[in-house]
Amino acid sequence: PYYIDLNQNLYLQACLRNSDPNLKVVVDTCVASPDPHDFNTLAYYLVRNGCPRDSSYATYYSPSSHFARFKFNAFEFMSRHPSVYLKCQMLVCRLGDFSSHCYRGCSTRVRRDTSS
């Protein structure tokens, strides 16, 4: 475990362990939970489907496409829960494939009113 203070920035890096230089890794979804076995009942999304959900979340430049770097402010799930667990899903795409989700980034769908 990492012990940090509330609102302290937590910096993370995901690394793709593959020698193919034509691959790119990006953060797709990161969810936090006080229970390491249940990320549904009490969950807080930092990023969902490539869209930041927390105002403190930010991505950082990486000199290699094999690394995804990001940060967020540390928080707690009320005082009843002494720990916060993080589960992140990454996307791996072909470098330069601009039709892939890796390059589209956050794309929220807009709902249209169907009434006349």
Side-chain angles (χ1 to χ4, degrees), residues 2-114:
Y2 291 98
Y3 297 97
I4 55 176
D5 295 325
L6 286 178
N7 295 318
Q8 181 181 347
N9 282 335
L10 183 62
Y11 298 90
L12 295 105
Q13 173 176 280
C15 175
L16 176 62
R17 294 184 180 215
N18 187 297
S19 61
D20 187 341
N22 296 311
L23 295 178
K24 175 182 179 73
V25 64
V26 297
V27 180
D28 181 60
T29 299
C30 273
V31 61
S33 170
D35 182 343
H37 306 291
D38 180 4
F39 285 87
N40 296 310
T41 304
L42 183 55
Y44 180 77
Y45 282 88
L46 297 163
V47 183
R48 192 171 194 173
N49 298 322
C51 298
R53 301 289 187 190
D54 183 279
S55 61
S56 72
Y57 176 86
T59 58
Y60 287 95
Y61 168 78
S62 172
S64 169
S65 62
H66 281 205
F67 294 93
R69 296 176 174 172
F70 58 101
K71 71 100 178 164
F72 63 92
N73 287 346
F75 63 94
E76 67 179 7
F77 285 96
M78 299 176 258
S79 58
R80 304 180 282 153
H81 306 285
S83 298
V84 174
Y85 298 89
L86 190 64
K87 179 172 127 179
C88 296
Q89 295 175 328
M90 314 307 278
L91 290 177
V92 177
C93 304
R94 284 263 165 226
L95 195 61
D97 179 4
F98 297 104
S99 65
S100 72
H101 186 65
C102 287
Y103 287 93
R104 282 184 271 147
C106 178
S107 57
T108 55
R109 293 174 39 168
V110 177
R111 292 185 177 189
R112 290 183 272 175
D113 187 5
T114 57

